[in-house]
Amino acid sequence: MTLGMAVLLLVVAAAGIVLVFRYLREKPKLRIICLVLLSLIVLVLVGYIGLTLIFVDAISHQPPTM
């Protein structure tokens, strides 16, 4: 997965959390299930993006090899 795709999915998942709060007020069980799933997706994507940035930074600061 590319970094751009991960960021796009993160934005979509965050928008989904906002929409769940807005439109699922009458169905508390469904709201909880959706919030848990979307929160897990956001957590995984933030971890993926963070690790990608750490690895890219490590590669860019690596000393040249001879």
Side-chain angles (χ1 to χ4, degrees):
M1 177 177 357
T2 63
L3 184 60
M5 180 60 99
V7 170
L8 178 67
L9 288 174
L10 179 66
V11 170
V12 169
I17 290 173
V18 171
L19 292 174
V20 163
F21 272 117
R22 177 177 269 180
Y23 293 113
L24 291 180
R25 292 186 189 270
E26 296 87 28
K27 300 178 181 180
K29 286 185 181 181
L30 182 60
R31 182 177 56 185
I32 291 171
I33 292 170
C34 289
L35 285 176
V36 167
L37 289 175
L38 287 170
S39 298
L40 287 174
I41 290 170
V42 166
L43 183 65
V44 168
L45 287 170
V46 166
Y48 177 81
I49 292 169
L51 285 175
T52 301
L53 293 176
I54 289 171
F55 289 148
V56 167
D57 182 59
I59 290 171
S60 67
H61 287 91
Q62 186 177 15
T65 58
M66 296 284 175

